Amino acid sequence: MSYEPQKYPLPEPSPVPGCAECLSLGTARRNARSTHDYSAVTDANVLLRRHLAEAH
């Protein structure tokens, strides 16, 4: 088995249509970006990736 390192930066995860949690995280990310709070943008991306892995 070969290991291929992750390429960075990762693309932003996409919210699943019709999912309230995805919508909430996507909105939080958009609001953070609009205020130039890129730490919060990263946090929202991490939470959205985690949610996608666990719920979808």
Side-chain angles (χ1 to χ4, degrees), residues 13 15 19-35 40-41 44-45 48:
C19 174
E21 184 69 16
C22 285
L23 176 62
S24 174
L25 292 167
T27 300
R29 178 176 62 190
R30 190 170 39 256
N31 290 341
R33 185 173 287 118
S34 74
T35 61
V41 171
N45 283 335
L48 184 53

Side-chain angles (χ1 to χ4, degrees), residues 2-3 8 11 13 16 18 21 25 30 37 39-40 43 45 47 56:
S2 67
Y3 171 77
Y8 292 97
V16 173
E21 184 69 16
L25 292 167
R30 190 170 39 256
D37 184 354
S39 178
D43 292 344
N45 283 335
L47 292 172
H56 296 286

Side-chain angles (χ1 to χ4, degrees), residues 6-21:
Q6 187 68 44
K7 294 184 177 26
Y8 292 97
L10 295 173
E12 285 195 341
S14 297
V16 173
C19 174
E21 184 69 16

